[in-house]
Amino acid sequence: MSNKEQTLSIIKPDAVERNLDNQIKKIFLSNGFKIINEKKIKIEKSEAEKFYKVHETKPFYDDLCSYLSSGPILVMVLEKENAVLDNRELMGATNPKEASEGTIRKKFGLSIDKNSVHGSDSIENAKIEIDFFFKD
Ligand code: UDP
Ligand code: MG
C-alpha cells in the first residue's frame, strides 16, 4: 500500500542568503522527494510568532522569530513515501554540530539557530504547517 505523505520544508534565511536554495532543492529531489509547491517569501515577525507558537515559552523564541523573519525564505511542500520522517533524517539534528555526515544541516548549518532548514516533525503538524503557508 502506498504511504505517500507531504511535509513542509523551509529553507531558512541563512541558506537563502548564501544562495544555497538550488543546491538544497537538488538534495531533496535526488533523495526521492517531489516539490509539489514552493514560494520564496519574506514573512513578518508576527507571522513567525504564529508559525513557531509551539515554542513560545522557550528562551530562544523571540530570537527565533526575529531570525525567521529577517530575510527571504523558500517554503516548499515535499512529497514522497514517509516524507515527514525521511525529511527529518535528511535534515539532520537541530544542532549542526550534532548532525550526521551527509545531512543538510551538517553540510550547511552554521549554528543551532542558523541551521538552514525547517521540517515538520509529525504528519499532523505537516498538515497544519502546509495550510499555514499554502491555504489560500
Ligand atoms: N533553536 C534555537 N535554539 C535552541 C533550539 C532551537 O535557536 O536551543 C531554533 C532552531 O532554529 C530550530 C528551531 O528553533 O530549528 C525550532 O526548534 P526545534 O526544537 O523544533 O528544532 P527542529 O525541529 O527545527 O529541529
Ligand atoms: Mg521543530
Side-chain angles (χ1 to χ4, degrees):
M1 201 176 79
S2 169
N3 191 23
K4 207 177 265 186
E5 278 173 19
Q6 293 188 345
T7 191
L8 185 88
S9 171
I10 303 177
I11 303 182
K12 292 183 176 182
D14 68 273
V16 174
E17 189 177 71
R18 287 176 287 152
N19 292 309
L20 295 171
D21 35 331
N22 276 324
Q23 223 172 313
I24 293 174
K25 278 165 67 174
K26 277 185 197 154
I27 294 174
F28 288 126
L29 295 172
S30 67
N31 280 274
F33 290 90
K34 280 186 183 164
I35 300 171
I36 298 296
N37 211 340
E38 65 178 297
K39 57 181 178 184
K40 193 176 274 185
I41 53 174
K42 187 175 180 301
I43 61 172
E44 297 295 327
K45 189 175 180 189
S46 58
E47 295 175 276
E49 286 167 348
K50 251 175 95 181
F51 180 74
Y52 273 132
K53 192 159 176 47
V54 62
H55 291 307
E56 71 182 330
T57 61
K58 308 273 175 62
F60 57 83
Y61 179 64
D62 189 63
D63 285 345
L64 173 61
C65 296
S66 296
Y67 167 62
L68 195 70
S69 56
S70 67
I73 58 176
L74 184 72
V75 189
M76 295 174 288
V77 178
L78 303 181
E79 186 177 277
K80 77 185 284 291
E81 291 191 1
N82 301 310
V84 172
L85 283 178
D86 285 0
N87 179 40
R88 294 293 302 190
E89 197 177 318
L90 187 57
M91 287 163 59
T94 305
N95 186 347
K97 286 183 188 148
E98 291 162 11
S100 302
E101 281 307 324
T103 63
I104 294 169
R105 284 169 164 170
K106 176 73 173 186
K107 276 195 192 114
F108 302 120
L110 300 173
S111 58
I112 191 165
D113 47 327
K114 296 183 174 177
N115 58 9
S116 303
V117 280
H118 166 85
S120 309
D121 63 3
S122 66
I123 295 175
E124 188 191 359
N125 284 335
K127 291 194 177 105
I128 294 169
E129 293 181 352
I130 289 167
D131 269 5
F132 185 88
F133 284 108
F134 292 101
K135 202 172 176 177
D136 32 33

